[in-house]
Amino acid sequence: MRNLLLVALYSIFLVALYQIVVIPLMLDLSYIGLLILAAATALGFFAIPRPHRRTFAVLSLLILLVSGGILNIYSDGLGWRFLEFPLMFLILGWIASSFGKIKWRYTLTVVLVLSVTQVVIPLSEMPFYGKFRVAYKSEGLDRRPIFPVYPVAANGTDILTLGDLRKLTTDEIKAADPKGKKDPQAAAELSKKQLEHVDVLRFLTDGGYTKRTATKMEMAQLPFTSFGLAGFPYYSSSWSVEKEKHKGSGVTTEQEVVKQHFAPVDDPKDVLLSFLNPLSVTAAMDERAGRALTESRKNWESAVGKTSAPQYPGAAVVGVGKFLPGGGKQVVLLRNNELQLVEEPAAGSVIRSETPIAVYKGTWEQPIINNLAIGDIDGDGLDELLINGYEQDKSMVWSQPNPARILKVKADGTGSGTGSASGSGTPPTGQDSNSSGQGAFSGAQASHQAPAFEVIWESGKDSFRFEFVQQRDGQKPLIVTQDPSLVRDVPTRYLTGYTWENGELVREWRVFKSNLLFPFELDKDTWVAGYWGEPHLYVLKPTSLPVMSMLAAVYGLLVLGGYGYQLMQRRGQRHA
C-alpha cells in the first residue's frame, strides 16, 4: 500500500515538473534548455541507487507517456475513450512490465491517478499554475472556427463576450452545397449566414459564472469600442433587440436581449484585388475602415442608444490617459494610419478638440494597429503609450521589421523618436542610430516647446505584444505582455509580466500557455482572457507562490537525498 501511495505522489510530481518546469525550459531556452535538462536528468538518474535505476527510468517514462495519452484521449469523444483507455493501459502496462519489471498494479495506479488529476486540473491547463489558478473555464462556445478572434469586455465583475452562432438548418446546409463536395464558396456562404446572428453572452459572477444572453440595458453601459470593432475593418456590425423569456425563482420574466450581426463591408474579391495594387492599398484600407466604423457606430446607437462620448469623424478612439503634466487627460485617436493625441473634453460635453497635441505616424510598410496599452510604467504620474507591431511575411520584398514600441510624450518638445522626427537623442534598445523607422511627427515640429512623442523602448521581435499595465500597491507597475521565447526564433507568444527598470523591461514571470486572447484585468485579483481559435473563456487568479521554483527545489532535494543515501550506504559497507 505504501508503494502504491509513493507511485501516486511521484506521478503527480513528475507531471507537474514536466508541464511547469521542463517544457518552459525547452520553449524559452531551446538548445540551452536541452543541455540543462540533459544535465539535470543525468544527475537525477545517478542519484538513484544502481539496482533501481532501470525501474525508475521506465516508471518515469511510463508516467509521461500516460499523461500524454490522457491529453489526447480527452480531446476525443466519450465513446472513443472507452476504447482508448483500455488499449493504452494494456500496451503501456506490457511495455513497463517487460522492460522495467514494473507490476501491473503500479501501471494501473499511474493511469487512475493521472485520470483523476485530468478531471481536477486538466493537464493542458497545468502551465497556468506556474503563476495562476484557473478559477473558471467556460463551456465551449459555438463560434469556432469562424471567429478565432473575438471581443471580451467587462461590466463591473461580469464578463461579456460573443458566443453562440446562429444554428444552420439542414435545408440551408443542403442548399449551399447540394452535392456535398465541401466547396469553399459554399462554406464561405454558410459562414456568412452564421455571422448574421450571433448572441452576445454575459457571464454573471453571482454564485459562480452563469451564462446568459446580455440585455439591452447591460449593453448600453458598455462603450461602443467593446463590441463595435469586432470584425473591423472588413465587417460592419449591427445589433438587434429581441424579446426573450427568463425563468428565475419560479417567476418568468421577459427581457430585451441583444444579438450582433456581421456583414462584409466590401465583396471579398474586391478586398483581395485592392492588395494587389500597392500604390492604392493604404487609401483603400482607410476608406474601408472609415465606412465600417461609421456604419457600426450608427447601428450601435440605433440599437442600444446614442453614446454620450464625443465623436471624432474618421477616427477611432483607442484610449484615454494622462500624458502631460496638469489636470486634464488626453484622448488617443487612430486616424489615417497615425496616432493623434488630443485634449479630452470636459465631463458631459460632446464638444471635442481635434487639434493634435502630438502625432505619431505609421507608414505603409509599418502601419499603426488599433491594439495598444496605456499606463504609467515608470511611476512618474504620467502615462506611456505602448503600441504593438505585427509580424509580416518576410518573403515579401517590401516587408520591414515592425516591432512593439513604448512612446512617452515629452512636454518640452525634445522627443526624438525614430524616422524623420526632429530633435536628437539616444535610439531605443535594439535600434541603430542610423536606422530608419516608422515614427514621424507633426504638430510638434513648428515649435520646439510643443509636446512630442519619444520612443523610449523598442522590442527586438515583431511578435512582441503589449496587453495592459497593472498598478500594484507598494510595487512597481506590472507590464503584461505576450512575447516569444528568449532563444527560439518562432513567433509563438507566452503570457509574461515585466517591470520597467533603468530604461529596460525586466521579466518577473512567464506562463508558457500560448494563444491567449486579449487578457485584461477584471480586478486586482482576477484576470480574464479568451483563447485564440478555441471557444473558451478563462478566468485566472494570480498567486504569489513561486510554483516553478518550488518544484525545481523539490527535485533538487530529491537528487541530493539520493546521493546522500548512496553515500551512507557506502560508508556502512566499509564499516561492516
Side-chain angles (χ1 to χ4, degrees), residues 215-232:
T215 66
K216 176 182 177 180
M217 185 178 297
E218 292 161 354
M219 291 293 288
Q221 297 173 7
L222 298 174
F224 161 75
T225 51
S226 59
F227 284 86
L229 298 181
F232 178 85

Side-chain angles (χ1 to χ4, degrees), residues 13-279:
F13 168 75
L14 184 61
V15 170
L17 184 73
Y18 180 73
Q19 292 285 348
I20 300 176
V21 179
V22 174
I23 290 181
L25 190 68
M26 300 289 292
L27 292 176
D28 211 19
L29 299 179
S30 186
Y31 59 90
I32 301 174
L34 180 61
L35 293 175
I36 296 173
L37 176 62
T41 303
L43 285 173
F45 180 77
F46 290 108
I48 302 168
R50 186 183 297 272
H52 306 292
R53 286 174 186 169
R54 182 175 181 178
T55 301
F56 262 89
V58 174
L59 176 62
S60 300
L61 184 60
L62 170 68
I63 292 169
L64 295 179
L65 289 174
V66 169
S67 68
I70 289 175
L71 271 173
N72 290 325
I73 290 173
Y74 267 82
S75 65
D76 294 333
L78 185 61
W80 281 103
R81 295 179 195 176
F82 285 105
L83 173 64
E84 292 169 340
F85 260 109
L87 281 176
M88 180 184 69
F89 172 69
L90 291 173
I91 293 172
L92 294 182
W94 176 81
I95 293 173
S97 62
S98 299
F99 295 93
K101 305 302 180 183
I102 295 174
K103 297 178 180 179
W104 282 87
R105 64 173 178 269
Y106 294 143
T107 301
L108 180 61
T109 299
V110 171
V111 172
L112 292 177
V113 166
L114 294 185
S115 298
V116 172
T117 303
Q118 168 68 23
V119 174
V120 178
I121 302 177
L123 301 182
S124 61
E125 296 173 14
M126 198 167 280
F128 279 126
Y129 286 80
K131 178 60 183 177
F132 299 95
R133 176 176 62 86
V134 180
Y136 175 73
K137 177 184 176 182
S138 74
E139 62 186 28
L141 305 176
D142 185 20
R143 55 166 127 73
R144 181 178 59 180
I146 300 172
F147 247 30
V149 178
Y150 50 91
V152 182
N155 181 15
T157 56
D158 293 342
I159 308 161
L160 291 94
T161 186
L162 284 180
D164 307 321
L165 302 171
R166 183 174 76 85
K167 300 291 186 182
L168 296 175
T169 65
T170 303
D171 292 339
E172 286 175 325
I173 296 173
K174 289 182 178 179
D177 190 12
K179 296 183 179 180
K181 294 184 177 181
K182 297 182 179 179
D183 180 55
Q185 188 172 353
E189 185 63 27
L190 291 175
S191 297
K192 179 182 175 182
K193 287 183 177 294
Q194 286 185 294
L195 286 173
E196 289 174 353
H197 199 90
V198 183
D199 288 342
V200 178
L201 300 178
R202 179 189 179 194
F203 290 84
L204 292 82
T205 55
D206 297 337
Y209 291 91
T210 306
K211 184 185 82 169
R212 68 166 174 77
T213 311
T215 66
K216 176 182 177 180
M217 185 178 297
E218 292 161 354
M219 291 293 288
Q221 297 173 7
L222 298 174
F224 161 75
T225 51
S226 59
F227 284 86
L229 298 181
F232 178 85
Y234 301 107
Y235 286 89
S236 63
S237 296
S238 61
W239 294 263
S240 63
V241 179
E242 303 176 4
K243 300 288 186 180
E244 190 174 277
K245 292 182 179 181
H246 285 267
K247 292 183 179 180
S249 302
V251 180
T252 301
T253 59
E254 194 174 60
Q255 294 181 332
E256 292 183 321
V257 299
V258 177
K259 311 287 184 178
Q260 185 161 350
H261 316 274
F262 297 88
V265 178
D266 288 323
D267 187 280
K269 295 179 182 177
D270 295 336
V271 176
L272 180 61
L273 289 174
S274 71
F275 282 104
L276 301 179
N277 188 349
L279 297 179

Side-chain angles (χ1 to χ4, degrees), residues 252-498:
T252 301
T253 59
E254 194 174 60
Q255 294 181 332
E256 292 183 321
V257 299
V258 177
K259 311 287 184 178
Q260 185 161 350
H261 316 274
F262 297 88
V265 178
D266 288 323
D267 187 280
K269 295 179 182 177
D270 295 336
V271 176
L272 180 61
L273 289 174
S274 71
F275 282 104
L276 301 179
N277 188 349
L279 297 179
S280 63
V281 64
T282 302
M285 288 180 65
D286 288 343
E287 191 272 337
R288 185 180 303 115
R291 282 190 288 120
L293 191 65
T294 301
E295 291 176 18
S296 298
R297 187 182 293 277
K298 181 180 178 181
N299 294 335
W300 175 273
E301 293 174 353
S302 175
V304 301
K306 187 174 180 63
T307 176
S308 61
Q311 306 299 304
Y312 298 88
V317 177
V318 292
V320 178
K322 182 176 174 57
F323 299 93
L324 295 168
K329 292 185 176 182
Q330 292 76 42
V331 178
V332 183
L333 304 177
L334 176 59
R335 175 191 282 134
N336 297 329
N337 198 24
E338 62 185 34
L339 292 172
Q340 300 177 354
L341 202 64
V342 299
E343 289 290 351
E344 183 184 37
S349 173
V350 295
I351 302 175
R352 80 277 180 193
S353 169
E354 292 196 54
T355 304
I357 301 170
V359 177
Y360 186 77
K361 293 184 178 180
T363 66
W364 180 74
E365 299 90 351
Q366 299 173 323
I368 302 291
I369 60 177
N370 64 350
N371 296 127
L372 50 81
I374 295 173
D376 178 13
I377 66 172
D378 54 10
D380 65 352
L382 299 177
D383 291 328
E384 282 72 42
L385 197 60
L386 295 78
I387 64 174
N388 293 313
Y390 71 97
E391 186 158 10
Q392 303 186 55
D393 186 352
K394 294 180 174 59
S395 64
M396 299 299 182
V397 295
W398 61 77
S399 66
Q400 293 187 15
N402 191 22
R405 294 178 171 93
I406 300 177
L407 308 181
K408 191 173 186 67
V409 179
K410 293 295 185 179
D412 58 1
T414 58
S416 60
T418 58
S420 60
S422 62
S424 61
T426 305
T429 302
Q431 180 172 321
D432 185 83
S433 59
N434 295 322
S435 66
S436 61
Q438 77 174 35
F441 304 86
S442 64
Q445 297 177 356
S447 169
H448 183 68
Q449 299 300 319
F453 281 111
E454 179 186 17
V455 180
I456 61 173
W457 184 87
E458 184 177 275
S459 67
K461 297 183 179 180
D462 294 356
S463 54
F464 190 102
R465 176 184 172 84
F466 292 109
E467 296 294 351
F468 65 92
V469 178
Q470 182 185 48
Q471 302 299 326
R472 303 182 292 182
D473 296 334
Q475 300 182 69
K476 293 182 179 180
L478 182 68
I479 304 166
V480 180
T481 72
Q482 293 197 75
D483 57 279
S485 69
L486 290 175
V487 177
R488 296 166 66 236
D489 187 21
V490 292
T492 306
R493 302 182 181 105
Y494 307 104
L495 189 65
T496 311
Y498 291 96

